[in-house]
Each structure stands twice: as C-alpha cells, then as structure tokens.
Amino acid sequence: MTASARDPSAIKPRVDWVDVAKGICIVMVVMMHSTLGVEKAAGAEGFMHYAVSFARPFRMPDFFMISGLFLALVIDRDWRLYLDRKVVHFAYFYLLWLVIQGAFKWPGLALDEGAGAVVHQFLLSLIDPFGTLWFIYLLPIFFVFAKLVRRVPWPLVLGFAALLESLHVETGWMVPDEFCARLFYVMLGWYAAPAIFRIADWARDHRGLTLLSLVVWALVNGAAVFGGVATLPGISLALGTAGALAIVSVAALIAGSAGAEPLRYAGERSIVVYLAFFLPMAATRAVLLKTGVIQDIGWISLIVTAVGVVAPLALHWIVMRSGWGTFLFVRPRAFHIDRPRGAPGARLQPAE
C-alpha cells in the first residue's frame, strides 16, 4: 500500500485532477470562513450556510489527504533537504503572514489592552496557530511525523491515526486537536496514493457509474449532516474519507474541461489563496454589510467568497509579473537551509 518509485504519485508532481481537487478544496475553505464571518457579523444565516454545513465532513480531510498524496517523492530525502522543503518552507510563510495579518489586528488590540497584549498574542501564535493560518502551521508537523514513522508498518500508523480521529480530542489548543483530527487523512494520502490514483482513473473511464455513486454519496452525506450524526465517532471518519474520495472523483471527471480551468488555476496556487484571502475577505464583508447595498445574507456570503478567492490570485499575478513583493509568495534564497547560502543552483521555492 505504500507508494513506491513507480507510483503515479512518485513520478508525476503536477497532475490536472489533483490541482482541480485542490481548487475545489480552497474554494470550500474560503467559503466557510466567508460565510460564517458574514453570518456572525450580521447575526443571521443565509443560503450559503447549508453549503458550508454539507461540506464540513470532508472539506479539510480532502485538503490534508491531497497534501499527503506526493509524500513518496520526498519522504526518503536526507533530513536537511526534507526539513528545508517541508518545515522551513511553511514556517517562513507562516511567520511572514502572521506579521501581515497581525499588522491589521494588533493596533486595535494595543489601543484596548496595551503593547503587552500584542507581544503576548505574537508569542502565543508561535505555539497556537494564528487565525486562518493554522493549516500551514500543522502541515510541517504532519510531514515530520511521516518521516519519523516511515519504517513503521502502515496498518499500525493508519490504525493509530484512525483512533486519534475517533477520539475527537478537544483540549482547546489548535495543534493537538487538529493533529488528532487530521493525521489520518495525511497518512491515507501517502499510503493509499496508488489506490487514489486508480480511483481517479476509474472515475474518468466510468463516468455514468461515477455520477451515480456521487449522487448516492451526496444523499448519505447530507442525511448525516442535517440529521445531526455527522460528528459521531466512526461516522465522521467514514464521511471524511468518503467525501475526500468523492472530491477526487469529481475532480477527475471535470479535469481538462474549460469549466474546470479556474479551479485548476486556483488549485495550483492554493497556498497563495490560503495565505492572502483573509484581508480581501474581511474588507469586502465590512463594505457590503455597512453599506447595505445587498440585503440577502446568502448573496453577501457568496460575493465575499468570490473576492476571497480571486483577490489573492490577482495579487499573486501582479506580484509575479512586476517582480515587486515576490517575497510574499516565493521563499527567498536566504531562508533556505538545504545548502550554503548563495551556493550555485540554490532555488527559490514558491508557496505551493
């Protein structure tokens, strides 16, 4: 079950349906933050609330499963190179965007509670992820765990991860809670990569049966969510796994079509969207709610979602074309540890 050098995940780092699936995931993530933020500020719910609720069992499981899909490419690298690509890389972007987001939040905190509160918030963010940035904080932890257990039989690791997910750990701290909740899906993406690629191929070759299977899945997922049982131990694991594979199937069906191109484009730059969506999302929400130009909460949530996805992609396009501010999305050579600074062949690594 472990991916080998001959697996698709180990030889082809850019796959169209994978990027489409990542695009679907990042849209769902932005949709969740946008919708819940609008509804909290407005004190009311809109039609987008149902879409967010439906996606809850599989939204993050699919993202983490795909994050583990290509671990076979790098898991056996020496520790220094592995840590550079899988830990330092994400640490750079976490700290950078922590400061950027904090620059908009912390002045108000300083006025209300003093500079000490800002220092406390910053230091706390080093051990408990700040706001929407928790995903890229957790990824390096999962990658280090995978490296440490790469010689352990996969049934033991996957069984252990399944147990952690089923325990529904709630300590009040983001790292242990999300580690326990998401570890299974990262390991599943790694161990089951060959099977996942076969599922995608099967979906493309059997479109009718795939569509029928997706209808059945959607009915079961919706019944569990709106029936109030989706978070029960065992059921949440089953729904997360089934939903992640459903997104893989959907992505495989539509990949290569003109309609899927925006999703593929966003998926290829999913971390860019994840890093930068907070500010345009918050600004758009504030403008729409304060001006009252649109009254329907659902439409406000949908517009905020669209801006939250498109604005970071537009910023990334401008930055990369102009050459100004590339450090926002490309890790500078000075922040690499894989070779001596300035050594020939040192590469910049984009936020992917």
Side-chain angles (χ1 to χ4, degrees), residues 52-335:
V52 169
S53 297
F54 178 84
R56 182 180 177 184
F58 58 89
R59 177 175 49 241
M60 295 313 297
D62 190 49
F63 225 152
F64 280 108
M65 186 183 78
I66 292 175
S67 296
L69 203 56
F70 293 97
L71 267 175
L73 280 170
V74 298
I75 197 68
D76 290 321
R77 288 176 176 173
D78 66 86
W79 269 104
R80 180 165 178 159
L81 180 59
Y82 188 81
L83 290 175
D84 179 75
R85 297 293 192 269
K86 294 299 186 181
V87 177
V88 177
H89 178 67
F90 291 103
Y92 167 79
F93 288 108
Y94 175 78
L95 291 172
L96 172 64
W97 284 88
L98 166 64
V99 173
I100 292 173
Q101 289 196 16
F104 289 85
K105 288 188 172 184
W106 293 336
L109 179 63
L111 289 175
D112 292 338
E113 303 180 32
V118 174
V119 174
H120 177 267
Q121 182 70 68
F122 175 79
L123 294 177
L124 182 62
S125 297
L126 299 181
I127 59 173
D128 196 40
F130 184 79
T132 59
L133 296 174
W134 69 271
F135 176 74
I136 62 169
Y137 187 103
L138 264 291
L139 279 180
I141 297 176
F142 289 128
F143 293 145
V144 170
F145 178 87
K147 180 80 167 172
L148 291 172
V149 302
R150 70 189 189 282
R151 305 300 183 195
V152 179
W154 68 261
L156 293 180
V157 178
L158 209 55
F160 171 71
L163 175 62
L164 290 182
E165 194 281 344
S166 299
L167 290 176
H168 289 182
V169 175
E170 294 184 7
T171 65
W173 291 83
M174 182 73 75
V175 173
D177 292 356
E178 292 298 337
F179 179 86
C180 293
R182 313 302 181 187
L183 176 64
F184 175 83
Y185 302 105
V186 179
M187 297 297 102
L188 181 66
W190 175 26
Y191 293 135
I196 294 169
F197 275 86
R198 286 196 295 270
I199 289 172
D201 290 338
W202 188 92
R204 280 175 159 168
D205 295 338
H206 302 82
R207 293 179 177 272
L209 286 175
T210 300
L211 288 172
L212 179 60
S213 300
L214 288 171
V215 169
V216 174
W217 160 76
L219 291 174
V220 172
N221 185 82
V225 169
F226 299 111
V229 300
T231 59
L232 294 178
I235 294 179
S236 63
L237 184 66
L239 291 178
T241 303
L245 295 177
I247 296 301
V248 167
S249 299
V250 170
L253 285 179
I254 65 176
S257 67
E261 180 58 21
L263 288 172
R264 187 208 61 77
Y265 185 88
E268 190 175 349
R269 300 157 181 81
S270 58
I271 296 298
V272 167
V273 177
Y274 194 88
L275 290 171
F277 82 89
F278 170 79
L279 297 176
M281 176 192 72
T284 305
R285 178 180 67 217
V287 169
L288 290 179
L289 290 177
K290 288 183 178 180
T291 60
V293 64
I294 298 175
Q295 297 295 320
D296 187 270
I297 298 300
W299 280 106
I300 293 175
S301 300
L302 186 59
I303 293 170
V304 172
T305 298
V307 174
V309 174
V310 173
L313 294 175
L315 174 62
H316 178 261
W317 186 89
I318 293 171
V319 164
M320 300 310 292
R321 292 302 183 279
S322 68
W324 290 88
T326 55
F327 68 93
L328 293 172
F329 303 116
V330 178
R331 179 165 55 119
R333 185 174 290 110
F335 294 93

